[in-house]
Amino acid sequence: MKKVYLFLANGFEEVEALTAVDLLRRAGIECLTVSISKELAVTSSHNITIHADRLFEDGTLDDADMLILPGGMPGTLNLLAHEGLKELLCSCAAAGKYVAAICAAPSVLGAHGLLRGKKATCYPGFEEKLEEAICCKENVVQDGNIITSRGLGTAIEFALALITALADEHAAAGVATSIQYYM
């Protein structure tokens, strides 16, 4: 079974995070939420508290097939400041594993040099933070093992792209039909 970790930092965008978790789980893909703080309880940018499945420090995370960063402020800045997450993102990307980010979070990938020469998208106004990326305006952009998306309004499309990458188009279409989402 494929394994995915989605990282939560205080100030995350809850729809972007939970849509990915929900749809991946509907597709039968193991998706665990990981708090980068010292507590399992993580509060979103709209003051909704979510209890993560595990803490970043609770053992290895390099067994993932995919890492996901939701956007939101100041969540994105908190993700950017976490040194352990930086090391994990860089090592997983170098190993060819999927690294995905939505909204402002692709700026974290840009700051860590993971977007050099790659096509990527982000929340409008964050393009300059996608250091050395080829900026696109599509809702979801995949370039090799990097998947990026524009924001909350593209969360379902983003999650379906993650399912396609990890499973296939048939699995993504099945989930889309089950939630009455038609592409």
Side-chain angles (χ1 to χ4, degrees):
M1 174 183 278
K2 301 287 185 179
K3 183 176 275 189
V4 176
Y5 294 118
L6 183 138
F7 297 90
L8 297 175
N10 285 317
F12 72 95
E13 168 39 66
E14 57 277 329
V15 173
E16 294 165 0
L18 296 179
T19 299
V21 173
D22 182 296
L23 296 190
L24 285 163
R25 289 180 180 179
R26 287 174 191 249
I29 297 168
E30 183 179 8
C31 182
L32 299 175
T33 56
V34 180
S35 170
I36 66 162
S37 72
K38 302 289 185 199
E39 298 178 19
L40 288 174
V42 186
T43 302
S44 75
S45 59
H46 299 98
N47 293 318
I48 299 171
T49 300
I50 303 294
H51 291 271
D53 297 310
R54 62 175 292 179
L55 298 174
F56 189 90
E57 291 80 19
D58 284 350
T60 184
L61 294 165
D62 60 0
D63 60 340
D65 296 290
M66 178 182 283
L67 306 176
I68 305 171
L69 304 179
M73 284 297 178
T76 295
L77 299 176
N78 292 329
L79 293 170
L80 179 62
H82 194 279
E83 192 61 34
L85 180 58
K86 173 187 176 181
E87 292 171 14
L88 181 64
L89 289 166
C90 292
S91 68
C92 285
K97 296 179 180 185
Y98 290 106
V99 176
I102 184 170
C103 196
S107 66
V108 175
L109 305 183
H112 298 328
L114 300 177
L115 299 179
R116 283 189 191 110
K118 294 206 176 254
K119 293 179 182 175
T121 194
C122 63
Y123 189 80
F126 276 78
E127 293 85 0
E128 65 194 36
K129 297 180 187 295
L130 304 186
E131 299 176 26
E132 299 182 51
I134 302 162
C135 293
C136 302
K137 292 189 180 194
E138 288 83 9
N139 290 343
V140 178
V141 174
Q142 180 172 352
D143 190 339
N145 62 327
I146 305 291
I147 303 170
T148 54
S149 189
R150 291 182 66 82
L152 185 150
T154 65
I156 292 175
E157 191 175 342
F158 177 62
L160 294 173
L162 304 179
I163 294 167
T164 299
L166 290 166
D168 57 32
E169 289 180 7
H170 179 73
V175 171
T177 299
S178 77
I179 64 167
Q180 300 298 297
Y181 180 82
Y182 299 99
M183 301 186 292

